[in-house]
Amino acid sequence: MIFRDYIRKTCGFYVSEFHLVTMLLPHIVTKVEKGVKIGTILNNNIRQEIRQLISKLNINDIVKAKVLNINWNGVEEIDFSYIKEYMEEIIKDNNEIEIIINGTKEKIDEVNKNIEYWSDMNIDKIKGININIINCYEVSEFNSNINSILNEHEYIINTSGEYPVESMFEAHKGDKEERREAI
């Protein structure tokens, strides 16, 4: 799986759209200020929550406008042809990209599988581009063991920032080391 050599994966968990936006907004503002391209593939529309919370932040109007200009609308049909067009567009003229994905575990897995498939076929196009996928799982919607989600990600994001999974979940560190030794 060549995909993992070029794309970093971060996960986050939220209980409501307001919680999701509260968790992501400081990270997004920092990235926008640094000139990072922010893209979204959203199962759930969060435009209204973004508008409400950004209006309360003490940031300059240019950054505010850039954050509001990100597509915060949900997407109905997210199949491979959508991902292919989306990825071709987002990598144009960008060397650092954050892609925020939200929704159910099933939908997030489907989107990630399609991004991975596209990326493996287009390694030459993504070489030299820093891509971070931020998968945001709706807590009430996933029924699987949280460890399976954590195992698929290097980082976790929450309201205080983005951290390596191992630094947030000490027990998970041992699990990962045991899996590496078994391989």
Side-chain angles (χ1 to χ4, degrees), residues 30-43:
T30 300
K31 293 298 182 176
V32 166
E33 289 173 335
K34 291 179 179 178
V36 175
K37 170 72 174 174
I38 306 289
T40 63
I41 303 174
L42 304 174
N43 190 6

Side-chain angles (χ1 to χ4, degrees), residues 78-137:
I78 308 172
D79 58 9
F80 181 73
S81 62
Y82 176 86
I83 296 299
K84 180 181 181 289
E85 287 179 35
Y86 179 84
M87 292 302 292
E88 295 283 343
E89 184 60 34
I90 199 165
I91 64 170
K92 283 183 185 172
D93 303 320
N94 294 297
N95 62 358
E96 193 165 355
I97 301 165
E98 301 261 330
I99 301 172
I100 300 166
I101 303 168
N102 81 339
T104 64
K105 182 171 182 341
E106 179 182 291
K107 292 286 186 183
I108 290 171
D109 287 349
E110 180 182 334
V111 170
N112 277 262
K113 181 184 82 173
N114 286 326
I115 291 173
E116 183 175 326
Y117 183 67
W118 179 88
S119 298
D120 281 346
M121 292 185 333
N122 293 280
I123 290 300
D124 57 319
K125 292 181 182 178
I126 63 171
K127 279 186 181 175
I129 301 175
N130 296 318
I131 301 173
N132 184 26
I133 295 175
I134 303 176
N135 293 313
C136 300
Y137 295 88

Side-chain angles (χ1 to χ4, degrees), residues 14-30:
Y14 66 98
V15 294
S16 70
E17 275 71 27
F18 274 110
H19 179 235
L20 173 63
V21 172
T22 301
M23 175 178 67
L24 290 175
L25 213 44
H27 177 80
I28 292 164
V29 167
T30 300

